[in-house]
Amino acid sequence: MAFWASFFKYTASIFAFCALVLQFFTLIGNTYNVKFLKLLYIARLTKNGQDFIDFGLWNACTGTNGTVLHCNAPKPAYVWTAESSLTEFIGSPVGGYDKVFLANFILYWCGFALTLFAFIFSVSTHYNRITDSMAAMATCLAFLVLFAVFVILIVVAYRVIGLTHSHNATVQGSIGSATWMTLGAMAALLLATIYYGLGCFFRAKRARTYEKV
């Protein structure tokens, strides 16, 4: 029982770490026009197959023919539906989403903090049912938070893509890697929660065995 309890605990910690890495790169993605970061955007609009605009959590980047030319200065809770460059694609900025982006930004940081807590807490404390249970609760909450974030990102992204395409048929939209990384982090958190729970189960079973002896 001790072997399986430790195995599930270590496996859960690995999944929590993977989720942490995915969330970290999503948080810093699209912030500057540098290699790799500029590839981590939430959604992209492309006009005539050339000019494009990428949206992230902090800012927007514009470019042409697959090359990013300019990125706005990062801004917390960035409302990219009100981005001035969006007028080239949709005619006018899309308003009314300020609170949605603020909530999304706060939720993402909450999910990241919960994941960080679960990972650090699980690897820096002695293995027992209490620590496993607390880590499982943290990853479960982080999963629920990221689920809400993912829904917000998908809904807003497809809303803007739909509006731009109806305004100009030459504009095409796509979901970016940062959105799918959020989905990957969700999956990792769900698996971490399951494995932490299994670790708790086997430790409880082991404890009952000792009590009978």
Side-chain angles (χ1 to χ4, degrees):
M1 295 299 175
F3 168 78
W4 287 111
S6 298
F7 170 78
F8 288 128
K9 177 66 175 289
Y10 281 121
T11 304
S13 297
I14 292 173
F15 280 120
F17 178 74
C18 292
L20 193 66
V21 171
L22 289 172
Q23 291 175 73
F24 173 75
F25 281 110
T26 300
L27 282 170
I28 66 173
N30 205 61
T31 48
Y32 296 98
N33 185 12
V34 296
K35 191 174 182 180
F36 183 64
L37 289 184
K38 61 185 178 182
L39 301 176
L40 306 179
Y41 54 88
I42 294 173
R44 167 178 286 189
L45 294 176
T46 306
K47 183 173 65 174
N48 298 321
Q50 296 180 333
D51 299 332
F52 66 86
I53 179 171
D54 294 337
F55 300 107
L57 288 174
W58 298 82
N59 61 347
C61 295
T62 55
T64 184
N65 294 322
T67 302
V68 175
L69 301 177
H70 173 72
C71 289
N72 296 340
K75 179 182 178 182
Y78 181 71
V79 185
W80 46 263
T81 53
E83 165 63 34
S84 58
S85 301
L86 191 61
T87 56
E88 300 177 14
F89 296 81
I90 197 173
S92 62
V94 182
Y97 286 87
D98 300 50
K99 293 182 179 179
V100 173
F101 281 95
L102 176 61
N104 182 70
F105 189 79
I106 293 173
L107 285 173
Y108 214 112
W109 277 104
C110 288
F112 180 77
L114 286 168
T115 306
L116 181 63
F117 168 79
F119 176 71
I120 294 178
F121 190 74
S122 64
V123 300
S124 62
T125 56
H126 182 68
Y127 296 159
N128 55 61
R129 282 184 294 169
I130 296 177
T131 57
D132 285 358
S133 298
M134 293 184 68
M137 290 176 61
T139 52
C140 182
L141 287 173
F143 167 78
L144 294 175
V145 169
L146 281 195
F147 178 77
V149 168
F150 182 76
V151 171
I152 291 173
L153 293 178
I154 289 293
V155 170
V156 173
Y158 276 108
R159 170 66 173 167
V160 174
I161 290 172
L163 286 173
T164 52
H165 188 70
S166 62
H167 176 78
N168 187 344
T170 64
V171 176
Q172 300 296 324
S174 60
I175 301 299
S177 55
T179 304
W180 303 124
M181 287 170 66
T182 301
L183 181 62
M186 282 173 50
L189 286 169
L190 179 60
L191 290 172
T193 302
I194 293 172
Y195 278 102
Y196 278 130
L198 288 172
C200 292
F201 171 77
F202 278 98
R203 289 188 188 283
K205 193 171 183 179
R206 181 189 179 193
R208 287 194 297 269
T209 301
Y210 281 140
E211 288 175 359
K212 290 180 180 179
V213 175

